[in-house]
Amino acid sequence: EIYGQSGRLKVSCYDFDGLECFPTTGFSGDMRNRLRRIASTAKELPRALCKMRQGGDFIASYRAEWSHFSDVIRRNIPLECTLEDGVQALRVVLAAARSASTKQPVKLSAITA
């Protein structure tokens, strides 16, 4: 989970509906969010069942990553992810690790990678 001034982002790579955004004024268990989640799950269920038979989004992300990597090598196309993308991802991980060890929020601006 990532908390920001405008809300919270929750990601689960194991669930087909594992991306949730919450404003700072709401929380995941309130009735409005629960109803929205049920409606979203019902809408996405047919697509999700098909994907789950093939390993789900988690496996699909690795397949797409390796497919792109092989295309980069074979067809000499540019990488979709830049070095700067990697640096920013590392900053998020370092902030999360510091937050977990100190039990305090950590601002990304405080992290240098």
Side-chain angles (χ1 to χ4, degrees):
E1 294 183 40
I2 300 173
Y3 292 83
Q5 291 179 338
S6 300
R8 176 172 58 108
L9 176 66
K10 182 178 178 183
V11 179
S12 171
C13 294
Y14 297 104
D15 300 325
F16 78 89
D17 56 351
L19 178 65
E20 298 178 80
C21 297
F22 302 101
T24 54
T25 58
F27 59 96
S28 59
D30 72 19
M31 189 56 69
R32 183 176 179 175
N33 282 328
R34 285 178 188 245
L35 291 173
R36 183 176 47 89
R37 189 90 173 139
I38 289 170
S40 174
T41 298
K43 179 182 172 187
E44 294 294 321
L45 192 57
R47 181 189 71 81
L49 290 173
C50 180
K51 278 194 151 192
M52 283 190 293
R53 281 189 225 115
Q54 300 168 358
D57 289 336
F58 187 72
I59 298 298
S61 69
Y62 284 100
R63 285 187 184 126
E65 180 181 341
W66 282 107
S67 176
H68 174 64
F69 183 69
S70 67
D71 285 345
V72 166
I73 294 169
R74 288 187 314 206
R75 298 189 309 177
N76 198 27
I77 61 173
L79 286 167
E80 290 179 1
C81 292
T82 66
L83 181 59
E84 182 59 27
D85 293 332
V87 169
Q88 294 306 320
L90 177 60
R91 288 179 68 218
V92 170
V93 170
L94 292 173
R98 184 179 297 172
S99 178
S101 67
T102 64
K103 307 283 192 260
Q104 296 293 317
V106 174
K107 292 186 178 196
L108 285 179
S109 60
I111 301 296
T112 56

